[in-house]
């Protein structure tokens, strides 16, 4: 009878030990799934953090649509301007909005927008005609900012011109004289005086598209466009290079080294856009997001899981209790 009882107890203990081992394995597998879920949550959190970085930019796209831009130049300008808008609106480092200002004999302004389709439709509708009233275009920037600008946003003005200003206000005295250009120096003085007065609050980028200038007009055009900027100056001569110039400015804006409040002097020297037509890719935040995510996932994985510890302790206690009962039964035998 005692031997039968001992065998019965032994079978029970074996079953208990097997059940304990199976339970521990199940718990461990369940914990592994929780680890994977934690990593996925870290990815989402990192992504949300990147797309919600605080900051704002008001971007003024000032485009020359004078008569000399007709044909291929205006077509290439439209393509470049639309790509510029796409890059800026896709940028996640700040909240960007864009206003388009065009100038020929007259200045046309539109509303701030964050809608690419709306901006693309405006750009597609542009026509090349008239003279070059750059002065009133800059004055329009100031007026729009005063009435509709975001006081907390940095101000970025992209001025593109394919010729010399020959419309709008004039100043007889100023930075330039008749030796620079007997026909255009007064217009240039008014433009330069206005731009220089904006440097404290605006970052001005300039693109000189000199496809139709030569001689003293070309020299003066290069000087003026370089003088009015305090952020970046680019000059191009071929319509196919316009895209490169706008892309370089978009890249400079999205990876800034200065702020509008620090921009008080005209800084960069002449920089020519690339001569080739190599297609380039817009800046991306994928790599920073991945790096942040990896760090978060690694940290979460290394933290001990409370469930695993509890299961281990319970299993050990159960096995110990079973051993004590088995010893007790043997002594009775």
């Amino acid at each position: 009878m005692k031997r039968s009882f001992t065998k019965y107890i032994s079978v029970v203990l074996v079953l208990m030990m097997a059940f304990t081992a199976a339970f521990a394995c199940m718990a461990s597998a369940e914990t592994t799934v929780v680890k994977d879920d934690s990593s996925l949550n870290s990815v989402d959190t990192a992504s949300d953090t990147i797309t919600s970085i605080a900051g704002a930019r008001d971007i003024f796209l000032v485009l020359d649509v004078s008569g000399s831009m007709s044909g291929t130049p205006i077509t290439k300008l439209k393509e470049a301007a639309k790509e510029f808008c796409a890059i800026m609106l896709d940028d996640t480092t700040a909240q960007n909005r864009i206003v388009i200002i065009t100038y020929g004999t007259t200045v046309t302004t539109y509303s701030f927008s964050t809608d690419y389709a709306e901006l693309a439709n405006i750009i597609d509708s542009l026509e090349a005609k008239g003279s070059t009233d750059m002065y009133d275009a800059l004055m329009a920037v100031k007026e729009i900012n005063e009435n509709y600008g975001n006081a907390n946003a940095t101000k970025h003005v992209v001025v593109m011109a394919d010729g010399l200003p020959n419309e709008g206000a004039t100043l007889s005295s100023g930075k330039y004289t008749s030796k620079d250009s007997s026909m255009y120096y007064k217009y240039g003085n008014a433009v330069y005086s206005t731009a220089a007065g904006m440097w404290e609050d605006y970052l001005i980028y300039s693109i000189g598209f000199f496809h139709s200038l030569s001689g003293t007009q070309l020299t003066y055009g290069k000087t003026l466009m370089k003088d009015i900027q305090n952020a970046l100056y680019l000059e191009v001569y071929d319509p196919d290079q316009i895209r490169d110039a706008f892309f370089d400015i978009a890249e400079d804006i999205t990876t800034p080294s200065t702020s509008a409040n620090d921009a008080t002097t005209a800084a960069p020297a002449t920089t020519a856009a690339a001569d080739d037509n190599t297609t380039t890719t817009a800046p991306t935040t994928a790599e920073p997001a991945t790096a942040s995510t990896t760090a978060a996932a690694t940290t979460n994985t290394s933290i001990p899981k409370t469930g695993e510890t509890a299961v281990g302790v319970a299993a050990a206690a159960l096995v110990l209790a079973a051993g004590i009962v088995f010893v007790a039964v043997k002594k009775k035998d």
Side-chain angles (χ1 to χ4, degrees):
M1 183 66 178
K2 288 182 179 180
R3 289 182 180 178
S4 299
F5 179 77
T6 299
K7 289 181 180 181
Y8 174 78
I9 291 299
S10 299
V11 171
V12 171
L13 289 175
V14 170
L15 291 175
M16 289 174 65
M17 293 172 68
F19 173 79
T20 299
F23 179 78
C25 291
M26 291 172 62
S28 177
E30 183 178 357
T31 303
T32 301
V33 174
V34 172
K35 284 183 181 180
D36 291 341
D37 287 344
S38 176
S39 297
L40 290 175
N41 290 336
S42 297
V43 171
D44 294 338
T45 301
S47 176
D48 292 341
T49 300
I50 289 172
T51 57
S52 62
I53 293 176
R57 301 188 189 103
D58 281 352
I59 301 165
F60 302 81
L61 197 54
V62 185
L63 306 177
D64 182 352
V65 293
S66 58
S68 56
M69 285 292 295
S70 62
T72 300
I74 192 70
T75 298
K76 294 298 182 179
L77 173 62
K78 290 178 180 181
E79 294 173 358
K82 287 190 290 186
E83 182 179 22
F84 174 86
C85 290
I87 293 173
M88 298 312 304
L89 295 180
D90 286 342
D91 175 48
T92 59
T93 61
Q95 298 171 355
N96 300 322
R97 61 177 187 163
I98 302 170
V99 60
I100 295 174
I101 300 169
T102 63
Y103 66 101
T105 302
T106 59
V107 174
T108 304
T109 63
Y110 299 86
S111 301
F112 275 111
S113 179
T114 57
D115 185 343
Y116 173 76
E118 179 181 12
L119 293 168
N121 286 336
I122 292 172
I123 294 169
D124 283 334
S125 70
L126 300 182
E127 297 180 0
K129 58 183 178 180
S131 301
T132 308
D133 189 356
M134 193 185 303
Y135 167 81
D136 282 315
L138 291 176
M139 292 300 291
V141 170
K142 297 171 64 177
E143 183 178 355
I144 292 172
N145 182 54
E146 290 172 1
N147 293 326
Y148 308 104
N150 178 356
N152 297 319
T154 54
K155 317 296 180 180
H156 301 262
V157 184
V158 182
V159 184
M160 173 267 161
D162 83 324
L164 296 170
N166 57 5
E167 192 79 29
T170 61
L171 286 176
S172 298
S173 60
K175 186 174 181 65
Y176 312 112
T177 68
S178 59
K179 293 181 179 180
D180 295 298
S181 173
S182 59
M183 294 179 62
Y184 304 111
Y185 82 94
K186 294 180 180 179
Y187 295 105
N189 280 334
V191 169
Y192 173 79
S193 177
T194 303
M198 298 169 64
W199 289 344
E200 184 176 354
D201 301 311
Y202 301 82
L203 283 167
I204 301 179
Y205 304 77
S206 65
I207 301 174
F209 173 40
F210 302 122
H211 65 109
S212 61
L213 297 184
S214 60
T216 56
Q217 288 190 9
L218 174 59
T219 300
Y220 182 47
K222 292 166 63 174
T223 298
L224 176 63
M225 293 304 290
K226 179 180 176 181
D227 286 347
I228 66 172
Q229 58 80 38
N230 65 336
L232 182 64
Y233 166 58
L234 298 168
E235 62 183 50
V236 297
Y237 299 88
D238 189 294
D240 289 326
Q241 295 175 333
I242 298 176
R243 174 186 175 276
D244 298 315
F246 275 94
F247 182 85
D248 287 348
I249 291 175
E251 190 173 45
D252 193 82
I253 292 174
T254 55
T255 55
S257 58
T258 60
S259 66
N261 292 332
D262 295 332
T264 56
T265 57
T270 303
T271 304
D275 291 334
D276 59 24
N277 298 323
T278 304
T279 302
T280 49
T281 305
T284 176
T285 56
E287 292 183 1
T290 303
S292 300
T293 301
T294 302
T298 302
T299 301
N300 289 338
T301 303
S302 64
I303 298 174
K305 301 295 181 180
T306 304
E308 293 175 353
T309 304
V311 169
V313 172
L318 190 56
V319 172
L320 180 61
I324 293 173
V325 172
F326 180 80
V327 171
V329 171
K330 289 293 289 181
K331 285 184 177 182
K332 289 183 178 181
D333 289 344

